[in-house]
Amino acid sequence: FEQSCAIRMDIPVTMILPPAATSSLLQEIHKGSEGICHVQRALTQVDCTRARAYSEEDERIVKEFIGNNLGFDRVDQQVVAFMTAFIGRVVENDMKQGVSRRKSAASAVRPQGSHSSSWFAGCRYTVDLHGCDVQATPLDSEHDVDVVRVTSSVREV
């Protein structure tokens, strides 16, 4: 009901889910295309005609309001838009946190001074540090570079 009122009054809506639901969403996203497709399929299932209220009378009044004022399709489309924006924020925050963690981890293996690096998420990468090659290889099969094995060798310059 709150969603439909916000839509009718053109009030911006920001979706917020409990931490467990956000964590579950990120687990799906981290599965790659399979998980993303699962989230997309879930969004196609939004149907406010199936929503339930505390009481049958409240449910009847709310559904009558939606049917007479906005239409169920419009409410469904807006709820999907609100959820899509939420998902975008979750992914953006996860990306920022991941980049920050990786920068922190990378700075732990870098000596002071200039350096150049080539970073490819989920792949082996090499950092050239004043004639030293530092190889960081993900330790798990998911290619999570939060945890890496670092080996180094000196090459002649």
Side-chain angles (χ1 to χ4, degrees), residues 65-155:
F65 171 82
I66 292 171
N68 292 336
N69 291 284
L70 299 167
F72 294 101
D73 287 341
R74 181 171 174 209
V75 173
D76 290 345
Q77 290 169 0
Q78 283 300 129
V79 168
V80 169
F82 299 151
M83 287 302 300
T84 301
F86 169 77
I87 293 165
R89 285 189 309 278
V90 167
V91 171
E92 178 182 12
N93 288 335
D94 184 60
M95 182 65 67
K96 287 177 180 177
Q97 290 172 0
V99 167
S100 179
R101 283 192 310 269
R102 283 164 176 74
K103 279 186 173 182
S104 294
S107 67
V109 298
R110 288 186 192 144
Q112 296 296 325
S114 64
H115 62 276
S116 62
S117 63
S118 177
W119 298 80
F120 300 96
C123 301
R124 295 173 187 240
Y125 59 86
T126 301
V127 181
D128 182 21
L129 303 167
H130 298 292
C132 296
D133 287 334
V134 177
Q135 295 286 336
T137 306
L139 293 179
D140 68 347
S141 62
E142 296 295 319
H143 304 298
D144 184 357
V145 286
D146 283 343
V147 180
V148 295
R149 176 183 317 132
V150 177
T151 58
S152 63
S153 62
V154 177
R155 63 178 166 84

